[in-house]
Amino acid sequence: MVRRVYLDNNATTPVLPEVLEAMRPYFGEHFGNASSIHRHGQETRAAVDRARESVAALLSCPASEVVFTSGGTEADNLAIFGVASPGDHIVTSTIEHHAVLNSCRHLEAHGCEITYVPVDSCGLVDPGDVKRALRSNTSLITIMLANNETGAVQSVEEIGKIAAEAGVYFHTDAVQAAGKIRVDVNKIGCDLLTISGHKFHGPQGVGALYVRKGTQLEPMLFGGRHERSRRAGTENVPGIVGLGKAAELAQTGFERGDDQAMSTGRGRLERELLKIEATGLNGEGAPRVPNTTNIYFDGIEGEALVIALDLKGLAVSTGAACSSGAIEPSHVLTAMGLRPDRAKASIRFSLGKQNSAEDIEFALATVPATVSRLRELSPVYRNLVSK
Ligand SMILES: *Cc1c(COP(=O)(O)O)cnc(C)c1O
């Protein structure tokens, strides 16, 4: 059997065994509707409340400010559509996840004005650009915390101050930050913050939006009075329990130094891969989450390298999972000023808590040889090096 190593944890992470164990009873004996008043309902209501406390502890907020959703995409949509009205102006960036970008584009087609602030070559937004973009009708700034393709961490605390001074709501997509760096909504100074279970070893299909008390947020889903009337619909109890457990484990992980371990593995991977000729680190110089590295291999078609590595048992990606199969180069890398061919020659390696030092050695035994083989076949590369 071929060994399989998974280094695509920014696309999704494996559910930790403890998370699965915590969820299991809620598919079976604890099946109640959390809104029912009998014992079955009380059991699941208590489980949802406990999970809300765990998520709140991870974000350093009161439990009453956590709204469970069906994932990061829904939380991003709820933040943006919940705050913006026709005629409003919104400030976002060119490197956001599509859950934010396409929500903004939709609003742009329906009477909102959007400013997409640029990033520099490291993939960082200049908070000064955010400030200068503000107008009298700006209602929302939405800038992500950590980028899913490069791992670059934005100066969200500075942006939070700018938003507070201007009296504008600030939303940050923290999906790629949760569980990797400490996230504190008061330090950030945000009004709205998104997380997603499956990006930090919880289940797929569940996430949460932090909503600061007093934020005027219109719901997107109407029905019962679930989630304090902010998100109607019977709760996904097993998913919510799993998200809560993942939040707890993320918290204890920081105390144990899981982030440090990922950073060590990433450091070794990166140092060794950058010894291959005609490679480079995308986003060099930016502060980054500890698990992500994005490297270009000039003269190579990223998709071809992903497929060749998969045949050898190594799972990596060319960027956002949601846009894989797209022929377009990454919008994040092109926004950083990469040439389209270099953007297409870029590969994201993203570590998770399950990865061992042996996994990194496996990658190092696999990637350089595969890159050489593909380059031998590549007329583009031969032209590049002969120049
Ligand atoms: C994965 C991801 C999302 C979407 O979350 P889902 O739970 O998959 O809908 C949003 N933002 C970022 C930065 C992501 O990486």
PDB file of all heavy atoms in Angstrom, residues 10-12 69-76 96-100 144-149 173-177 180 194-199 203-207 320 322 348, ligand 1:
ATOM      1  N   ASN A  10      -5.304  23.372   4.791  1.00  0.00           N
ATOM      2  CA  ASN A  10      -6.083  24.614   4.641  1.00  0.00           C
ATOM      3  C   ASN A  10      -7.339  24.379   3.817  1.00  0.00           C
ATOM      4  O   ASN A  10      -8.240  25.213   3.801  1.00  0.00           O
ATOM      5  CB  ASN A  10      -5.234  25.721   4.014  1.00  0.00           C
ATOM      6  CG  ASN A  10      -4.236  26.302   5.003  1.00  0.00           C
ATOM      7  OD1 ASN A  10      -4.049  25.759   6.084  1.00  0.00           O
ATOM      8  ND2 ASN A  10      -3.590  27.395   4.632  1.00  0.00           N
ATOM      9  N   ALA A  11      -7.407  23.232   3.129  1.00  0.00           N
ATOM     10  CA  ALA A  11      -8.636  22.880   2.403  1.00  0.00           C
ATOM     11  C   ALA A  11      -9.635  22.255   3.367  1.00  0.00           C
ATOM     12  O   ALA A  11     -10.820  22.588   3.371  1.00  0.00           O
ATOM     13  CB  ALA A  11      -8.321  21.910   1.270  1.00  0.00           C
ATOM     14  N   THR A  12      -9.166  21.345   4.173  1.00  0.00           N
ATOM     15  CA  THR A  12      -9.953  20.764   5.253  1.00  0.00           C
ATOM     16  C   THR A  12      -8.997  19.945   6.108  1.00  0.00           C
ATOM     17  O   THR A  12      -7.946  19.520   5.622  1.00  0.00           O
ATOM     18  CB  THR A  12     -11.128  19.893   4.735  1.00  0.00           C
ATOM     19  OG1 THR A  12     -12.074  19.696   5.801  1.00  0.00           O
ATOM     20  CG2 THR A  12     -10.675  18.528   4.244  1.00  0.00           C
ATOM     21  N   THR A  69     -23.548  28.589  12.637  1.00  0.00           N
ATOM     22  CA  THR A  69     -23.979  28.605  11.234  1.00  0.00           C
ATOM     23  C   THR A  69     -23.611  27.270  10.589  1.00  0.00           C
ATOM     24  O   THR A  69     -23.036  26.400  11.239  1.00  0.00           O
ATOM     25  CB  THR A  69     -23.246  29.722  10.451  1.00  0.00           C
ATOM     26  OG1 THR A  69     -21.845  29.385  10.389  1.00  0.00           O
ATOM     27  CG2 THR A  69     -23.405  31.083  11.121  1.00  0.00           C
ATOM     28  N   SER A  70     -23.893  27.171   9.290  1.00  0.00           N
ATOM     29  CA  SER A  70     -23.560  25.939   8.569  1.00  0.00           C
ATOM     30  C   SER A  70     -22.114  25.927   8.088  1.00  0.00           C
ATOM     31  O   SER A  70     -21.720  25.040   7.336  1.00  0.00           O
ATOM     32  CB  SER A  70     -24.481  25.777   7.368  1.00  0.00           C
ATOM     33  OG  SER A  70     -24.215  26.798   6.422  1.00  0.00           O
ATOM     34  N   GLY A  71     -21.321  26.922   8.490  1.00  0.00           N
ATOM     35  CA  GLY A  71     -19.908  26.920   8.096  1.00  0.00           C
ATOM     36  C   GLY A  71     -19.381  28.330   7.910  1.00  0.00           C
ATOM     37  O   GLY A  71     -20.066  29.318   8.212  1.00  0.00           O
ATOM     38  N   GLY A  72     -18.145  28.378   7.406  1.00  0.00           N
ATOM     39  CA  GLY A  72     -17.499  29.669   7.203  1.00  0.00           C
ATOM     40  C   GLY A  72     -18.202  30.502   6.143  1.00  0.00           C
ATOM     41  O   GLY A  72     -18.360  31.716   6.296  1.00  0.00           O
ATOM     42  N   THR A  73     -18.633  29.865   5.081  1.00  0.00           N
ATOM     43  CA  THR A  73     -19.278  30.599   3.994  1.00  0.00           C
ATOM     44  C   THR A  73     -20.543  31.291   4.495  1.00  0.00           C
ATOM     45  O   THR A  73     -20.759  32.482   4.238  1.00  0.00           O
ATOM     46  CB  THR A  73     -19.612  29.626   2.838  1.00  0.00           C
ATOM     47  OG1 THR A  73     -18.394  29.056   2.370  1.00  0.00           O
ATOM     48  CG2 THR A  73     -20.323  30.339   1.701  1.00  0.00           C
ATOM     49  N   GLU A  74     -21.365  30.552   5.230  1.00  0.00           N
ATOM     50  CA  GLU A  74     -22.599  31.166   5.728  1.00  0.00           C
ATOM     51  C   GLU A  74     -22.294  32.292   6.717  1.00  0.00           C
ATOM     52  O   GLU A  74     -22.940  33.342   6.700  1.00  0.00           O
ATOM     53  CB  GLU A  74     -23.513  30.127   6.396  1.00  0.00           C
ATOM     54  CG  GLU A  74     -24.857  30.749   6.753  1.00  0.00           C
ATOM     55  CD  GLU A  74     -25.727  29.880   7.669  1.00  0.00           C
ATOM     56  OE1 GLU A  74     -25.687  28.647   7.551  1.00  0.00           O
ATOM     57  OE2 GLU A  74     -26.435  30.472   8.493  1.00  0.00           O
ATOM     58  N   ALA A  75     -21.299  32.091   7.565  1.00  0.00           N
ATOM     59  CA  ALA A  75     -20.956  33.133   8.545  1.00  0.00           C
ATOM     60  C   ALA A  75     -20.472  34.399   7.833  1.00  0.00           C
ATOM     61  O   ALA A  75     -20.854  35.520   8.209  1.00  0.00           O
ATOM     62  CB  ALA A  75     -19.918  32.611   9.523  1.00  0.00           C
ATOM     63  N   ASP A  76     -19.646  34.235   6.792  1.00  0.00           N
ATOM     64  CA  ASP A  76     -19.191  35.393   6.011  1.00  0.00           C
ATOM     65  C   ASP A  76     -20.377  36.098   5.355  1.00  0.00           C
ATOM     66  O   ASP A  76     -20.494  37.327   5.383  1.00  0.00           O
ATOM     67  CB  ASP A  76     -18.203  34.957   4.913  1.00  0.00           C
ATOM     68  CG  ASP A  76     -16.795  34.676   5.455  1.00  0.00           C
ATOM     69  OD1 ASP A  76     -16.480  35.108   6.584  1.00  0.00           O
ATOM     70  OD2 ASP A  76     -16.007  34.021   4.735  1.00  0.00           O
ATOM     71  N   GLU A  96      -9.380  38.377  -0.460  1.00  0.00           N
ATOM     72  CA  GLU A  96     -10.335  37.672   0.410  1.00  0.00           C
ATOM     73  C   GLU A  96     -10.700  36.311  -0.179  1.00  0.00           C
ATOM     74  O   GLU A  96     -10.586  36.077  -1.386  1.00  0.00           O
ATOM     75  CB  GLU A  96     -11.610  38.508   0.565  1.00  0.00           C
ATOM     76  CG  GLU A  96     -11.401  39.852   1.233  1.00  0.00           C
ATOM     77  CD  GLU A  96     -10.854  39.755   2.653  1.00  0.00           C
ATOM     78  OE1 GLU A  96     -11.405  38.985   3.457  1.00  0.00           O
ATOM     79  OE2 GLU A  96      -9.860  40.446   2.947  1.00  0.00           O
ATOM     80  N   HIS A  97     -11.199  35.439   0.678  1.00  0.00           N
ATOM     81  CA  HIS A  97     -11.800  34.180   0.245  1.00  0.00           C
ATOM     82  C   HIS A  97     -13.038  34.501  -0.595  1.00  0.00           C
ATOM     83  O   HIS A  97     -13.673  35.545  -0.403  1.00  0.00           O
ATOM     84  CB  HIS A  97     -12.206  33.380   1.487  1.00  0.00           C
ATOM     85  CG  HIS A  97     -12.655  31.980   1.190  1.00  0.00           C
ATOM     86  ND1 HIS A  97     -13.960  31.672   0.887  1.00  0.00           N
ATOM     87  CD2 HIS A  97     -11.974  30.813   1.146  1.00  0.00           C
ATOM     88  CE1 HIS A  97     -14.054  30.368   0.677  1.00  0.00           C
ATOM     89  NE2 HIS A  97     -12.869  29.828   0.828  1.00  0.00           N
ATOM     90  N   HIS A  98     -13.411  33.591  -1.497  1.00  0.00           N
ATOM     91  CA  HIS A  98     -14.560  33.866  -2.364  1.00  0.00           C
ATOM     92  C   HIS A  98     -15.865  34.021  -1.588  1.00  0.00           C
ATOM     93  O   HIS A  98     -16.803  34.654  -2.084  1.00  0.00           O
ATOM     94  CB  HIS A  98     -14.676  32.799  -3.460  1.00  0.00           C
ATOM     95  CG  HIS A  98     -13.676  33.017  -4.559  1.00  0.00           C
ATOM     96  ND1 HIS A  98     -12.624  32.151  -4.798  1.00  0.00           N
ATOM     97  CD2 HIS A  98     -13.536  34.036  -5.434  1.00  0.00           C
ATOM     98  CE1 HIS A  98     -11.886  32.637  -5.797  1.00  0.00           C
ATOM     99  NE2 HIS A  98     -12.419  33.776  -6.192  1.00  0.00           N
ATOM    100  N   ALA A  99     -15.943  33.466  -0.385  1.00  0.00           N
ATOM    101  CA  ALA A  99     -17.162  33.647   0.419  1.00  0.00           C
ATOM    102  C   ALA A  99     -17.381  35.130   0.737  1.00  0.00           C
ATOM    103  O   ALA A  99     -18.520  35.590   0.850  1.00  0.00           O
ATOM    104  CB  ALA A  99     -17.073  32.834   1.712  1.00  0.00           C
ATOM    105  N   VAL A 100     -16.296  35.877   0.844  1.00  0.00           N
ATOM    106  CA  VAL A 100     -16.390  37.320   1.078  1.00  0.00           C
ATOM    107  C   VAL A 100     -16.440  38.064  -0.258  1.00  0.00           C
ATOM    108  O   VAL A 100     -17.313  38.901  -0.486  1.00  0.00           O
ATOM    109  CB  VAL A 100     -15.195  37.814   1.940  1.00  0.00           C
ATOM    110  CG1 VAL A 100     -15.083  39.330   1.917  1.00  0.00           C
ATOM    111  CG2 VAL A 100     -15.353  37.304   3.375  1.00  0.00           C
ATOM    112  N   MET A 144      -9.775  39.869   5.904  1.00  0.00           N
ATOM    113  CA  MET A 144      -9.517  38.581   6.560  1.00  0.00           C
ATOM    114  C   MET A 144      -8.353  38.645   7.540  1.00  0.00           C
ATOM    115  O   MET A 144      -7.493  39.506   7.442  1.00  0.00           O
ATOM    116  CB  MET A 144      -9.274  37.503   5.508  1.00  0.00           C
ATOM    117  CG  MET A 144      -7.954  37.585   4.784  1.00  0.00           C
ATOM    118  SD  MET A 144      -7.932  36.649   3.208  1.00  0.00           S
ATOM    119  CE  MET A 144      -8.696  35.115   3.618  1.00  0.00           C
ATOM    120  N   LEU A 145      -8.347  37.696   8.467  1.00  0.00           N
ATOM    121  CA  LEU A 145      -7.261  37.647   9.453  1.00  0.00           C
ATOM    122  C   LEU A 145      -6.051  36.936   8.846  1.00  0.00           C
ATOM    123  O   LEU A 145      -4.987  37.516   8.732  1.00  0.00           O
ATOM    124  CB  LEU A 145      -7.749  36.935  10.727  1.00  0.00           C
ATOM    125  CG  LEU A 145      -7.147  37.404  12.046  1.00  0.00           C
ATOM    126  CD1 LEU A 145      -7.848  36.724  13.213  1.00  0.00           C
ATOM    127  CD2 LEU A 145      -5.673  37.208  12.143  1.00  0.00           C
ATOM    128  N   ALA A 146      -6.199  35.676   8.427  1.00  0.00           N
ATOM    129  CA  ALA A 146      -5.096  34.936   7.817  1.00  0.00           C
ATOM    130  C   ALA A 146      -5.545  34.443   6.450  1.00  0.00           C
ATOM    131  O   ALA A 146      -6.656  33.922   6.306  1.00  0.00           O
ATOM    132  CB  ALA A 146      -4.693  33.752   8.688  1.00  0.00           C
ATOM    133  N   ASN A 147      -4.669  34.609   5.470  1.00  0.00           N
ATOM    134  CA  ASN A 147      -5.031  34.196   4.111  1.00  0.00           C
ATOM    135  C   ASN A 147      -4.895  32.690   3.927  1.00  0.00           C
ATOM    136  O   ASN A 147      -3.921  32.082   4.378  1.00  0.00           O
ATOM    137  CB  ASN A 147      -4.182  34.944   3.077  1.00  0.00           C
ATOM    138  CG  ASN A 147      -4.599  34.609   1.672  1.00  0.00           C
ATOM    139  OD1 ASN A 147      -4.039  33.726   1.037  1.00  0.00           O
ATOM    140  ND2 ASN A 147      -5.635  35.260   1.190  1.00  0.00           N
ATOM    141  N   ASN A 148      -5.870  32.098   3.236  1.00  0.00           N
ATOM    142  CA  ASN A 148      -5.893  30.651   3.067  1.00  0.00           C
ATOM    143  C   ASN A 148      -4.817  30.144   2.113  1.00  0.00           C
ATOM    144  O   ASN A 148      -4.403  28.995   2.204  1.00  0.00           O
ATOM    145  CB  ASN A 148      -7.275  30.182   2.594  1.00  0.00           C
ATOM    146  CG  ASN A 148      -7.885  31.074   1.539  1.00  0.00           C
ATOM    147  OD1 ASN A 148      -8.055  32.285   1.744  1.00  0.00           O
ATOM    148  ND2 ASN A 148      -8.220  30.510   0.403  1.00  0.00           N
ATOM    149  N   GLU A 149      -4.323  30.981   1.210  1.00  0.00           N
ATOM    150  CA  GLU A 149      -3.320  30.497   0.251  1.00  0.00           C
ATOM    151  C   GLU A 149      -1.894  30.718   0.726  1.00  0.00           C
ATOM    152  O   GLU A 149      -1.033  29.866   0.508  1.00  0.00           O
ATOM    153  CB  GLU A 149      -3.531  31.170  -1.107  1.00  0.00           C
ATOM    154  CG  GLU A 149      -4.855  30.763  -1.737  1.00  0.00           C
ATOM    155  CD  GLU A 149      -4.989  31.215  -3.174  1.00  0.00           C
ATOM    156  OE1 GLU A 149      -3.972  31.282  -3.891  1.00  0.00           O
ATOM    157  OE2 GLU A 149      -6.135  31.525  -3.573  1.00  0.00           O
ATOM    158  N   ASP A 173     -12.619  37.550   8.562  1.00  0.00           N
ATOM    159  CA  ASP A 173     -12.731  36.115   8.313  1.00  0.00           C
ATOM    160  C   ASP A 173     -11.506  35.470   8.968  1.00  0.00           C
ATOM    161  O   ASP A 173     -10.388  35.599   8.476  1.00  0.00           O
ATOM    162  CB  ASP A 173     -12.762  35.878   6.800  1.00  0.00           C
ATOM    163  CG  ASP A 173     -12.796  34.396   6.439  1.00  0.00           C
ATOM    164  OD1 ASP A 173     -12.303  33.567   7.232  1.00  0.00           O
ATOM    165  OD2 ASP A 173     -13.295  34.074   5.344  1.00  0.00           O
ATOM    166  N   ALA A 174     -11.753  34.809  10.103  1.00  0.00           N
ATOM    167  CA  ALA A 174     -10.651  34.208  10.874  1.00  0.00           C
ATOM    168  C   ALA A 174     -10.611  32.699  10.695  1.00  0.00           C
ATOM    169  O   ALA A 174     -10.043  31.976  11.523  1.00  0.00           O
ATOM    170  CB  ALA A 174     -10.796  34.570  12.349  1.00  0.00           C
ATOM    171  N   VAL A 175     -11.202  32.202   9.594  1.00  0.00           N
ATOM    172  CA  VAL A 175     -11.294  30.754   9.373  1.00  0.00           C
ATOM    173  C   VAL A 175      -9.914  30.104   9.394  1.00  0.00           C
ATOM    174  O   VAL A 175      -9.741  29.025   9.966  1.00  0.00           O
ATOM    175  CB  VAL A 175     -12.036  30.460   8.044  1.00  0.00           C
ATOM    176  CG1 VAL A 175     -11.897  28.995   7.653  1.00  0.00           C
ATOM    177  CG2 VAL A 175     -13.498  30.861   8.145  1.00  0.00           C
ATOM    178  N   GLN A 176      -8.916  30.758   8.780  1.00  0.00           N
ATOM    179  CA  GLN A 176      -7.579  30.141   8.711  1.00  0.00           C
ATOM    180  C   GLN A 176      -6.709  30.521   9.901  1.00  0.00           C
ATOM    181  O   GLN A 176      -5.539  30.124   9.957  1.00  0.00           O
ATOM    182  CB  GLN A 176      -6.887  30.524   7.400  1.00  0.00           C
ATOM    183  CG  GLN A 176      -7.550  29.945   6.166  1.00  0.00           C
ATOM    184  CD  GLN A 176      -7.404  28.434   6.037  1.00  0.00           C
ATOM    185  OE1 GLN A 176      -6.631  27.803   6.759  1.00  0.00           O
ATOM    186  NE2 GLN A 176      -8.153  27.846   5.127  1.00  0.00           N
ATOM    187  N   ALA A 177      -7.244  31.272  10.818  1.00  0.00           N
ATOM    188  CA  ALA A 177      -6.463  31.667  11.998  1.00  0.00           C
ATOM    189  C   ALA A 177      -6.829  30.807  13.202  1.00  0.00           C
ATOM    190  O   ALA A 177      -5.964  30.442  13.995  1.00  0.00           O
ATOM    191  CB  ALA A 177      -6.701  33.136  12.302  1.00  0.00           C
ATOM    192  N   LYS A 180      -4.708  28.080  15.019  1.00  0.00           N
ATOM    193  CA  LYS A 180      -3.307  28.201  14.587  1.00  0.00           C
ATOM    194  C   LYS A 180      -2.612  29.343  15.307  1.00  0.00           C
ATOM    195  O   LYS A 180      -1.438  29.241  15.645  1.00  0.00           O
ATOM    196  CB  LYS A 180      -3.247  28.438  13.073  1.00  0.00           C
ATOM    197  CG  LYS A 180      -3.817  27.288  12.280  1.00  0.00           C
ATOM    198  CD  LYS A 180      -3.965  27.637  10.816  1.00  0.00           C
ATOM    199  CE  LYS A 180      -4.781  26.567  10.118  1.00  0.00           C
ATOM    200  NZ  LYS A 180      -5.262  27.032   8.803  1.00  0.00           N
ATOM    201  N   THR A 194     -15.561  35.377  11.707  1.00  0.00           N
ATOM    202  CA  THR A 194     -15.993  34.073  11.181  1.00  0.00           C
ATOM    203  C   THR A 194     -15.006  32.972  11.528  1.00  0.00           C
ATOM    204  O   THR A 194     -13.796  33.164  11.382  1.00  0.00           O
ATOM    205  CB  THR A 194     -16.079  34.157   9.635  1.00  0.00           C
ATOM    206  OG1 THR A 194     -17.087  35.102   9.278  1.00  0.00           O
ATOM    207  CG2 THR A 194     -16.404  32.804   9.016  1.00  0.00           C
ATOM    208  N   ILE A 195     -15.533  31.810  11.952  1.00  0.00           N
ATOM    209  CA  ILE A 195     -14.703  30.601  12.045  1.00  0.00           C
ATOM    210  C   ILE A 195     -15.455  29.427  11.384  1.00  0.00           C
ATOM    211  O   ILE A 195     -16.679  29.497  11.190  1.00  0.00           O
ATOM    212  CB  ILE A 195     -14.310  30.219  13.494  1.00  0.00           C
ATOM    213  CG1 ILE A 195     -15.542  29.918  14.342  1.00  0.00           C
ATOM    214  CG2 ILE A 195     -13.453  31.300  14.136  1.00  0.00           C
ATOM    215  CD1 ILE A 195     -15.215  29.248  15.687  1.00  0.00           C
ATOM    216  N   SER A 196     -14.717  28.375  11.055  1.00  0.00           N
ATOM    217  CA  SER A 196     -15.312  27.195  10.424  1.00  0.00           C
ATOM    218  C   SER A 196     -14.729  25.937  11.068  1.00  0.00           C
ATOM    219  O   SER A 196     -13.510  25.808  11.186  1.00  0.00           O
ATOM    220  CB  SER A 196     -14.996  27.204   8.924  1.00  0.00           C
ATOM    221  OG  SER A 196     -15.341  25.952   8.355  1.00  0.00           O
ATOM    222  N   GLY A 197     -15.596  25.007  11.450  1.00  0.00           N
ATOM    223  CA  GLY A 197     -15.166  23.799  12.164  1.00  0.00           C
ATOM    224  C   GLY A 197     -14.116  22.985  11.429  1.00  0.00           C
ATOM    225  O   GLY A 197     -13.109  22.580  12.019  1.00  0.00           O
ATOM    226  N   HIS A 198     -14.332  22.748  10.138  1.00  0.00           N
ATOM    227  CA  HIS A 198     -13.479  21.765   9.445  1.00  0.00           C
ATOM    228  C   HIS A 198     -12.080  22.274   9.125  1.00  0.00           C
ATOM    229  O   HIS A 198     -11.242  21.508   8.645  1.00  0.00           O
ATOM    230  CB  HIS A 198     -14.170  21.219   8.192  1.00  0.00           C
ATOM    231  CG  HIS A 198     -14.239  22.138   7.014  1.00  0.00           C
ATOM    232  ND1 HIS A 198     -13.394  22.004   5.947  1.00  0.00           N
ATOM    233  CD2 HIS A 198     -15.054  23.175   6.712  1.00  0.00           C
ATOM    234  CE1 HIS A 198     -13.698  22.905   5.023  1.00  0.00           C
ATOM    235  NE2 HIS A 198     -14.699  23.643   5.476  1.00  0.00           N
ATOM    236  N   LYS A 199     -11.806  23.541   9.394  1.00  0.00           N
ATOM    237  CA  LYS A 199     -10.458  24.045   9.175  1.00  0.00           C
ATOM    238  C   LYS A 199      -9.590  23.886  10.418  1.00  0.00           C
ATOM    239  O   LYS A 199      -8.399  24.164  10.377  1.00  0.00           O
ATOM    240  CB  LYS A 199     -10.499  25.512   8.719  1.00  0.00           C
ATOM    241  CG  LYS A 199     -11.298  25.776   7.442  1.00  0.00           C
ATOM    242  CD  LYS A 199     -10.667  25.177   6.215  1.00  0.00           C
ATOM    243  CE  LYS A 199     -11.521  25.350   4.978  1.00  0.00           C
ATOM    244  NZ  LYS A 199     -11.554  26.698   4.436  1.00  0.00           N
ATOM    245  N   PRO A 203     -15.850  19.079  12.441  1.00  0.00           N
ATOM    246  CA  PRO A 203     -16.541  18.538  11.268  1.00  0.00           C
ATOM    247  C   PRO A 203     -16.841  19.599  10.200  1.00  0.00           C
ATOM    248  O   PRO A 203     -16.837  20.790  10.484  1.00  0.00           O
ATOM    249  CB  PRO A 203     -17.842  18.005  11.863  1.00  0.00           C
ATOM    250  CG  PRO A 203     -18.068  18.808  13.104  1.00  0.00           C
ATOM    251  CD  PRO A 203     -16.716  19.201  13.616  1.00  0.00           C
ATOM    252  N   GLN A 204     -17.090  19.127   8.991  1.00  0.00           N
ATOM    253  CA  GLN A 204     -17.530  20.010   7.902  1.00  0.00           C
ATOM    254  C   GLN A 204     -18.989  20.376   8.121  1.00  0.00           C
ATOM    255  O   GLN A 204     -19.734  19.637   8.752  1.00  0.00           O
ATOM    256  CB  GLN A 204     -17.354  19.291   6.555  1.00  0.00           C
ATOM    257  CG  GLN A 204     -15.886  18.966   6.280  1.00  0.00           C
ATOM    258  CD  GLN A 204     -15.656  18.089   5.065  1.00  0.00           C
ATOM    259  OE1 GLN A 204     -16.587  17.447   4.585  1.00  0.00           O
ATOM    260  NE2 GLN A 204     -14.430  18.028   4.596  1.00  0.00           N
ATOM    261  N   GLY A 205     -19.387  21.524   7.595  1.00  0.00           N
ATOM    262  CA  GLY A 205     -20.804  21.910   7.650  1.00  0.00           C
ATOM    263  C   GLY A 205     -21.224  22.584   8.935  1.00  0.00           C
ATOM    264  O   GLY A 205     -22.418  22.638   9.246  1.00  0.00           O
ATOM    265  N   VAL A 206     -20.272  23.091   9.689  1.00  0.00           N
ATOM    266  CA  VAL A 206     -20.629  23.861  10.882  1.00  0.00           C
ATOM    267  C   VAL A 206     -19.570  24.938  11.101  1.00  0.00           C
ATOM    268  O   VAL A 206     -18.384  24.737  10.829  1.00  0.00           O
ATOM    269  CB  VAL A 206     -20.794  22.950  12.129  1.00  0.00           C
ATOM    270  CG1 VAL A 206     -19.481  22.292  12.539  1.00  0.00           C
ATOM    271  CG2 VAL A 206     -21.386  23.713  13.315  1.00  0.00           C
ATOM    272  N   GLY A 207     -20.033  26.095  11.532  1.00  0.00           N
ATOM    273  CA  GLY A 207     -19.131  27.210  11.800  1.00  0.00           C
ATOM    274  C   GLY A 207     -19.809  28.159  12.756  1.00  0.00           C
ATOM    275  O   GLY A 207     -20.850  27.828  13.350  1.00  0.00           O
ATOM    276  N   ALA A 320      -6.689  27.673  -3.320  1.00  0.00           N
ATOM    277  CA  ALA A 320      -7.971  27.415  -2.686  1.00  0.00           C
ATOM    278  C   ALA A 320      -8.617  26.175  -3.292  1.00  0.00           C
ATOM    279  O   ALA A 320      -8.660  26.032  -4.519  1.00  0.00           O
ATOM    280  CB  ALA A 320      -8.880  28.621  -2.852  1.00  0.00           C
ATOM    281  N   CYS A 322     -11.641  25.445  -3.401  1.00  0.00           N
ATOM    282  CA  CYS A 322     -12.899  25.810  -4.062  1.00  0.00           C
ATOM    283  C   CYS A 322     -12.644  26.233  -5.496  1.00  0.00           C
ATOM    284  O   CYS A 322     -13.536  26.224  -6.317  1.00  0.00           O
ATOM    285  CB  CYS A 322     -13.587  26.940  -3.323  1.00  0.00           C
ATOM    286  SG  CYS A 322     -13.227  26.942  -1.586  1.00  0.00           S
ATOM    287  N   ARG A 348       0.679  25.167  -2.584  1.00  0.00           N
ATOM    288  CA  ARG A 348       0.481  25.412  -1.151  1.00  0.00           C
ATOM    289  C   ARG A 348       0.650  24.107  -0.384  1.00  0.00           C
ATOM    290  O   ARG A 348       0.038  23.093  -0.731  1.00  0.00           O
ATOM    291  CB  ARG A 348      -0.928  25.959  -0.920  1.00  0.00           C
ATOM    292  CG  ARG A 348      -1.251  26.141   0.568  1.00  0.00           C
ATOM    293  CD  ARG A 348      -2.678  26.587   0.763  1.00  0.00           C
ATOM    294  NE  ARG A 348      -3.639  25.527   0.486  1.00  0.00           N
ATOM    295  CZ  ARG A 348      -4.953  25.697   0.461  1.00  0.00           C
ATOM    296  NH1 ARG A 348      -5.465  26.895   0.667  1.00  0.00           N
ATOM    297  NH2 ARG A 348      -5.765  24.689   0.213  1.00  0.00           N
TER     298      ARG A 348
HETATM  299  C1  LIG B   1     -12.617  27.456   3.992  1.00  0.00           C
HETATM  300  C2  LIG B   1     -12.745  28.925   4.124  1.00  0.00           C
HETATM  301  C3  LIG B   1     -14.004  29.552   4.165  1.00  0.00           C
HETATM  302  C4  LIG B   1     -15.279  28.782   3.959  1.00  0.00           C
HETATM  303  O1  LIG B   1     -15.596  27.980   5.044  1.00  0.00           O
HETATM  304  P1  LIG B   1     -16.594  26.719   4.808  1.00  0.00           P
HETATM  305  O2  LIG B   1     -16.870  26.245   6.196  1.00  0.00           O
HETATM  306  O3  LIG B   1     -15.841  25.729   3.984  1.00  0.00           O
HETATM  307  O4  LIG B   1     -17.809  27.247   4.134  1.00  0.00           O
HETATM  308  C5  LIG B   1     -14.051  30.908   4.329  1.00  0.00           C
HETATM  309  N1  LIG B   1     -12.936  31.630   4.476  1.00  0.00           N
HETATM  310  C6  LIG B   1     -11.711  31.080   4.457  1.00  0.00           C
HETATM  311  C7  LIG B   1     -10.514  31.941   4.630  1.00  0.00           C
HETATM  312  C8  LIG B   1     -11.576  29.708   4.276  1.00  0.00           C
HETATM  313  O5  LIG B   1     -10.357  29.181   4.233  1.00  0.00           O
END
